[in-house]
Amino acid sequence: MTPPHTMSTTRRKAALTVLLMSSLLMWLDNTVLGTVVETLADPTRGLGASPAELQWASGAYTLVFATLMFTAGALGDRFGHRRTLAAGMVIFAAASAWAAYAPDPTQLIAARAAMGVGSAFIMPATMAIVMWIFTGPERALAIALNSTAAGVGIAAGPVLAGLLLARFWWGSVFLVNIPITALALVGIAAFVPEFRNPTPRGLDPVGLLLSIGGLAALAYGLIRAGQVVSWTRTDIWLPIVAGTAALIAFVRVEMRMAQPSFDPRLLARRMFGGGTAALGLMLFAMTSAGFYSAFYLQGSRGFSPLAAALTLAPAAVGTMVGGPLGVRLARRWPLRNITVPAVVVTALTMGASILFGLDTPLIWIEITGAVQGLSIGMVLGPVTGALMNTLPLDRAGAGSAVTNTVRQTGSVLGIAAGGTIMSIAYRAAIEDSLREVPATVRDAARVSAEQARHLAATLDLPGLTAAANRAFIHAMHVSAVWTMLGALAAAVVLWIALRDSETPAPVDDDDRALAVES
């Protein structure tokens, strides 16, 4: 047994590099999919996926990721976090190959869910190992670098996807995960120490079923609402009600357990609970806003995937710069004075999309994106580090599971709600333009702007293309207002959570309840 402080500096740095590579992989995959959705919606170049199928392709990954993460953390406590990290990488690579060769949207959704399983094993193991290897200022820096790795993934993903789509078929964007995974596995074996909790948490199968079932039902109801006219249908309200009830039951079950995999009691701490909720609301707004970006640039504006990726690159670079900058500023001034204004700026930049149209100069889109990315980066890293530092080390795994589960839940609901708002607003905006269109075309044109444009090109109906573009821009403006309100809500919650707190009290690192194997 080798305690972490006896690890050499070189080995700690090498281990951190491997862990950052693991985080990079997950964020790379998220942004890669955002670039390829327009291609997947195309019946000729892609799979002809509907908006609902694209929502599920994004949401299935995040849904499984969010709900399986705390169980994966418990498995890490029991069998070792290095083992669960390696297992997650293998699962992720195999699922990536499946996604690359998926013949239809259904199999793509299933493959994305399997990729979520791999990520669920990777994320808590990565954070737990970081919390164990590093102490004091080194730990804060390692957490900030983890956020920076996310920024690198966000920056590299769209550009990489654009380059691949320019030369290969859409499945190539998933195959890129495999060499990264192979390299990371070598590094895990060589540099990452093994450790486990001597008093592991239970696997909690009841909680797992309630959380997956509840969140899946809720997401299904919200996504389904965007496909139909009336919300009074039982296939809308019943899943929403049942999903909400299951999630309430999940919280009640976890509250009664001595060592729950997902500990809702941590959320009762004002700073930890409020900060976690604020991050969840931010992710809700971010994924909702991100869902329409690719469609706007590649669909309405007609950009190639690479051109669209380069247009969004300033936002990713801003995120990369914002993480370390936020950490440095938080060392000089109270965290609330840094992060709350940053969230407000994030909200305003999201709302600025109501000013974007078919002829908006790209420079304004790039400037807005850069400011938004910088603001987001200044929030995610410092707040995450501050929240984790409020917990004793033996609660780090549970705390990481809670924060990441809430954040990923925000992403799931952001995709579901954001896509549904877009669908409803688009359908309402295009309805008047379909009166003189052949009846056989109307239903398909109502589904999405992508299908309307495809039909217009096939049937030589240029008026339908113009109508679809106008309807999409209207829907984007409506969605921008809602995402801005979601981000402003995050600012309010964060302001309350960080009230009366300057810098979180450091955790006593001598209170170690974990066993480390070197």
Side-chain angles (χ1 to χ4, degrees), residues 20-238:
L20 295 180
M21 189 182 303
S22 302
S23 296
L24 171 69
L25 183 66
M26 291 181 293
W27 286 98
L28 187 73
D29 180 73
N30 268 342
T31 53
V32 158
L33 184 67
T35 304
V36 81
V37 289
E38 177 71 21
T39 302
L40 291 172
D42 191 289
T44 304
R45 297 180 298 134
L47 299 177
S50 69
E53 289 170 331
L54 292 173
Q55 283 174 272
W56 277 115
S58 297
Y61 170 84
T62 315
L63 171 65
V64 175
F65 188 3
T67 53
L68 192 59
M69 195 167 1
F70 55 83
T71 299
L75 289 172
D77 285 347
R78 184 180 298 267
F79 299 109
H81 288 285
R82 183 175 67 175
R83 290 188 179 91
T84 57
L85 175 61
M89 300 296 281
V90 172
I91 294 170
F92 194 90
S96 296
W98 182 11
Y101 295 101
D104 53 58
T106 300
Q107 287 207 39
L108 177 61
I109 292 168
R112 290 285 296 166
M115 293 173 73
V117 175
S119 291
F121 278 76
I122 294 170
M123 176 65 81
T126 298
M127 185 59 71
I129 294 169
V130 165
M131 294 293 290
W132 182 248
I133 291 177
F134 297 98
T135 61
E138 278 192 343
R139 179 187 295 168
L141 179 60
I143 293 174
L145 288 174
N146 193 59
S147 296
T148 302
V152 173
I154 293 170
V159 177
L160 180 60
L163 290 169
L164 291 171
L165 289 173
R167 299 178 62 88
F168 307 104
W169 96 113
W170 61 265
S172 61
V173 302
F174 296 110
L175 289 181
V176 74
N177 296 331
I178 296 176
I180 300 175
T181 303
L183 185 60
L185 284 170
V186 173
I188 291 169
F191 303 112
V192 177
E194 181 66 285
F195 78 95
R196 62 177 64 84
N197 194 327
T199 55
R201 294 167 284 159
L203 298 183
D204 191 14
V206 174
L208 178 63
L209 291 175
L210 285 173
S211 61
I212 289 180
L215 196 54
L218 183 58
Y220 174 83
L222 291 173
I223 291 174
R224 183 64 178 152
Q227 301 173 268
V228 299
V229 176
S230 173
W231 279 44
T232 60
R233 296 169 47 137
T234 54
D235 59 346
I236 302 297
W237 63 263
L238 185 58

Side-chain angles (χ1 to χ4, degrees), residues 437-498:
V437 172
T440 54
V441 175
R442 290 175 192 165
D443 289 341
R446 288 189 186 103
V447 171
S448 68
E450 287 67 41
Q451 292 204 28
R453 294 189 200 101
H454 179 73
L455 288 169
T458 303
L459 302 176
D460 193 21
L461 299 172
L464 180 58
T465 298
N469 287 335
R470 288 195 301 270
F472 175 84
I473 295 298
H474 168 77
M476 183 179 74
H477 291 168
V478 171
S479 186
V481 172
W482 284 102
T483 54
M484 179 181 67
L485 292 176
L488 287 175
V492 172
V493 173
L494 192 60
W495 175 265
I496 296 171
L498 300 182

Side-chain angles (χ1 to χ4, degrees), residues 331-356:
R331 291 173 181 168
R332 293 189 172 189
W333 293 287
L335 185 64
R336 187 169 71 163
N337 293 359
I338 303 301
T339 56
V340 173
V343 178
V344 173
V345 172
T346 299
L348 295 177
T349 56
M350 290 177 177
S353 293
I354 63 174
L355 304 176
F356 296 165

Side-chain angles (χ1 to χ4, degrees), residues 30 33 51-63 112 219 222-223 283-292 408-423:
N30 268 342
L33 184 67
E53 289 170 331
L54 292 173
Q55 283 174 272
W56 277 115
S58 297
Y61 170 84
T62 315
L63 171 65
R112 290 285 296 166
L222 291 173
I223 291 174
L283 267 293
F284 175 93
M286 287 169 57
T287 53
S288 180
F291 189 75
Y292 57 71
Q408 295 303 322
T409 298
S411 296
V412 172
L413 297 180
I415 292 167
T420 294
I421 291 170
M422 287 285 296
S423 295

